[in-house]
Amino acid sequence: MKISADTATCIGAGQCALVAGDLFDQDDDGIVVLLGDEPAESQYVIARRAASLCPARAITITESA
Ligand code: SF4
């Protein structure tokens, strides 16, 4: 799995950092900071949840084949 976060689309809602604090943080302006783009398998569920909760659809999950 690969995660990408589009800081240009992010509106700083903070849902990602709230549900997946190990994967996402926010900078001083509230904009998403990706802490790791290749999560451990144990983090897949929470990564998908963060992506689905983002109101700006700024988080993209690419599932590996
Ligand atoms: S949930 Fe989406 S809009 Fe909110 S901080 Fe995270 S990436 Fe940005």
Side-chain angles (χ1 to χ4, degrees):
M1 174 186 284
K2 200 137 186 135
I3 306 175
S4 64
D6 184 351
T7 52
T9 310
C10 172
I11 56 169
Q15 296 298 325
C16 54
L18 209 65
V19 300
D22 289 343
L23 297 173
F24 304 96
D25 199 356
Q26 290 174 277
D27 69 12
D28 290 343
D29 297 321
I31 299 303
V32 65
V33 176
L34 191 56
L35 298 178
D37 65 351
E38 290 184 1
E41 216 167 312
S42 59
Q43 296 175 305
Y44 284 7
V45 169
I46 202 75
R48 291 188 194 107
R49 188 170 307 155
S52 71
L53 284 174
C54 174
R57 294 260 165 266
I59 300 170
T60 304
I61 303 280
T62 307
E63 308 275 355
S64 7

